[in-house]
Amino acid sequence: MQVNAGPLVRNICEQLEIVSVLNESLSWDSARCKLSPGERILALIVACFLRQRPLYRVCLSLLTTDTELLVGKGVRPADLNDDALGRALDKFAAADPAKVFSAICARAATIEAVDRRFTHWDSTSMSVFGEYDGPVPNDGVNVTYGHSKDHRPELKQIMFSVLGNGEGFPLWGGVHAGNSSDKKLNNETIDQIREAFSTEELRTLIHVADSAFVTGPNLAAAAKVGLRFISRLPENYSVAAAVKALAWQGDWIDVGPVAVRRQATSYHASEQQAEIGGRPYRLVVFRSSQLEKRKAATFDKELDTQRAELDDSARALGRQAFACQADAETAAGAWLLQAGYHLLDAQVVEEAQPLRRHQRGRPRKDEPTPTRRIYRVVGTVRGRDTTMVETEKQRRSTFVMITTVPLQELDARDLLQEYKGQGALERRFAFLKDPEIVDSFFVKKPERVLALGYVFLLVCLVF
């Protein structure tokens, strides 16, 4: 019989008291149930670690293993059929699974003495198959279309969010509607942090999130609760271009590499200050060696494409005949507006265009050829605007971090290193969506989708 990592997974679940927490939180009749809902959900967690096997065939996957060793004494594979697992998911959905998951995370954090000074937040989507067109109950989740991070826009989906520490250890998690916005979820996370951490903890806590965190409402909410944060400033903020320009006018601090590996990317930084929404923020402009090379190569390809398009449009414009000089000058001016990062010249030239002779017979030798006056535009691409190109290369080779943490507490290198810690949560999501761990699943009701989503988050916690 094959048990693989099953006994280790069960042991970790016992340490976290997952079964007992679930049984205490869920409504169920111990006299009428052979297996508690906690034991059945434990079986789902263990099944995710056994092998690549669709979850709707859990009882079949347990036929070739020691079910008692993995789940509990007296448990048989037949006890874990689709109906039994489905009823457990129903009870889990009805018991506020977010609250139950948070309680288990809190216990795990206490057992592992998890450092909670830094919190990281991230989200991902999981595509599902099925219609799910019915009404969504209060204890369910809206399975619908949204921005697919799996690049499967034709499929409906659900969203996952996780709040973890710098090592990616989950402190809180959520399962959300498929069309949920990261910006709105970030706002909800601020309230959850305020509720989960004491006033004393909030004074030293630093929250790290991606650029979706930086919106007017989120910045205002963070300021209201005194939440310190680190994030990346979106390029659509005008202050981003302003501080980048200031950075290139001044001196750069050599930050060096933040990763411990050969040929790691090296960074330089420039400390800036600016106001957003009437509140002052520390803005640190970074440029990296690898980013400069990669962005420069991409930009050069864009410039070559733009040059080819300008040459084509100049030839097409030159073939047009205008009846008056004013029309030709208007067309020339419109073409010059397409310059982009190139230098253009446009001249209007006058021509005599021969007209068709309408008289019969051969023309006399001294008969003048009928003509009309027309105007053409001669467009020339003289080359690249080196000043504009260099300015744009500088802009593209940099990014801006926004924070409320003072320099005395975290210098530029520490700031960037902590932000790079977002990768720990991304690796949790990669595990969550690994088909070797969680393969095809099918549940009919939105409430079971919600409950199964929290089962997957429990799997991440155990992992």
Side-chain angles (χ1 to χ4, degrees), residues 385-398:
D385 187 328
T386 55
T387 301
M388 287 187 65
V389 168
E390 185 59 29
T391 301
E392 180 63 11
K393 283 185 176 181
Q394 290 177 354
R395 186 191 70 81
R396 293 193 181 200
S397 69
T398 54

Side-chain angles (χ1 to χ4, degrees), residues 117-118 206 230 271 282 403 405-415 418:
R117 184 193 174 200
F118 291 94
I206 299 174
I230 299 171
E271 293 280 348
R282 176 188 170 198
T403 184
V405 183
L407 173 63
Q408 295 77 9
E409 187 172 347
L410 287 180
D411 61 18
R413 186 179 190 281
D414 292 336
L415 194 74
E418 194 58 43

Side-chain angles (χ1 to χ4, degrees), residues 171-457:
L171 302 173
W172 179 90
V175 181
H176 314 280
N179 58 357
S180 298
S181 162
D182 274 1
K183 294 178 180 179
K184 183 178 179 181
L185 292 178
N186 267 293
N187 193 274
E188 294 173 359
T189 301
I190 295 173
D191 290 333
Q192 290 150 3
I193 291 175
R194 178 179 54 81
E195 295 174 1
F197 291 82
S198 66
T199 304
E200 187 62 31
E201 286 179 310
L202 278 175
R203 291 195 185 100
T204 57
L205 183 144
I206 299 174
H207 181 56
V208 185
D210 59 19
S211 59
F213 176 87
V214 185
T215 66
N218 290 351
L219 294 178
K224 183 177 180 180
V225 302
L227 176 64
R228 305 191 302 168
F229 67 88
I230 299 171
S231 187
R232 183 165 173 168
L233 184 66
E235 293 294 329
N236 59 353
Y237 276 79
S238 59
V239 70
V243 295
K244 284 183 177 184
L246 289 172
W248 284 104
Q249 294 172 13
D251 297 326
W252 292 89
I253 305 166
D254 186 1
V255 173
V258 296
V260 184
R261 63 173 183 268
R262 292 184 61 187
Q263 297 181 337
T265 303
S266 182
Y267 293 89
H268 287 76
S270 173
E271 293 280 348
Q272 303 293 332
Q273 298 281 340
E275 284 193 359
I276 300 176
R279 288 178 291 272
Y281 292 97
R282 176 188 170 198
L283 303 178
V284 186
V285 183
F286 289 94
R287 63 182 177 92
S288 71
S289 55
Q290 295 297 327
L291 190 65
E292 287 172 353
K293 296 175 183 177
R294 188 172 69 251
K295 293 283 188 179
T298 301
F299 187 38
D300 282 336
K301 290 181 181 179
E302 292 179 16
L303 291 173
D304 290 341
T305 301
Q306 187 183 84
R307 171 61 188 263
E309 292 173 349
L310 286 170
D311 286 337
D312 290 343
S313 64
R315 286 190 290 269
L317 182 61
R319 290 191 291 268
Q320 295 183 44
F322 296 92
C324 67
Q325 184 174 356
D327 289 346
E329 290 176 348
T330 300
W335 183 73
L336 290 173
L337 292 176
Q338 303 175 27
Y341 299 100
H342 290 81
L343 298 172
L344 305 182
D345 279 337
Q347 293 183 340
V348 176
V349 296
E350 181 182 331
E351 291 183 6
Q353 185 183 52
L355 295 175
R356 183 179 177 181
R357 183 173 178 271
H358 297 288
Q359 296 178 358
R360 292 183 178 183
R362 182 180 297 178
R364 300 191 310 271
K365 291 183 180 180
D366 59 347
E367 180 179 328
T369 302
T371 61
R372 69 167 182 168
R373 182 179 299 175
I374 63 169
Y375 298 88
R376 296 188 188 274
V377 179
V378 178
T380 306
V381 183
R382 293 194 289 112
R384 296 178 180 178
D385 187 328
T386 55
T387 301
M388 287 187 65
V389 168
E390 185 59 29
T391 301
E392 180 63 11
K393 283 185 176 181
Q394 290 177 354
R395 186 191 70 81
R396 293 193 181 200
S397 69
T398 54
F399 60 93
V400 183
M401 301 294 298
I402 178 173
T403 184
T404 52
V405 183
L407 173 63
Q408 295 77 9
E409 187 172 347
L410 287 180
D411 61 18
R413 186 179 190 281
D414 292 336
L415 194 74
L416 182 60
Q417 192 167 38
E418 194 58 43
Y419 182 76
K420 292 286 186 180
Q422 283 289 95
L425 279 185
E426 292 172 0
R427 289 189 290 274
R428 294 294 181 270
F429 288 141
F431 170 82
L432 177 68
K433 301 196 292 190
D434 185 352
E436 292 289 333
I437 303 300
V438 179
D439 197 8
S440 306
F441 67 92
F442 175 75
V443 285
K444 293 182 179 180
K445 301 189 294 185
E447 53 267 42
R448 290 187 179 181
V449 175
L450 177 70
L452 190 58
Y454 278 100
V455 170
F456 292 161
L457 289 177

Side-chain angles (χ1 to χ4, degrees), residues 93-105:
D96 192 352
K99 185 176 181 180
V100 176
F101 179 69
S102 294
I104 296 173
C105 286

Side-chain angles (χ1 to χ4, degrees), residues 37-84:
E39 291 172 308
R40 284 175 274 171
I41 290 174
L42 170 64
L44 279 174
I45 296 172
V46 172
C48 288
F49 287 91
L50 287 181
R51 67 183 71 181
Q52 185 176 358
R53 175 79 71 171
L55 286 184
Y56 62 84
R57 300 176 64 189
V58 170
C59 62
L60 296 181
S61 68
L62 294 174
L63 288 175
T64 57
T65 189
D66 189 337
T67 309
E68 290 188 337
L69 176 63
L70 297 180
V71 183
K73 187 175 180 180
V75 180
R76 299 177 302 169
D79 298 329
L80 299 167
N81 56 45
D82 294 354
D83 291 336

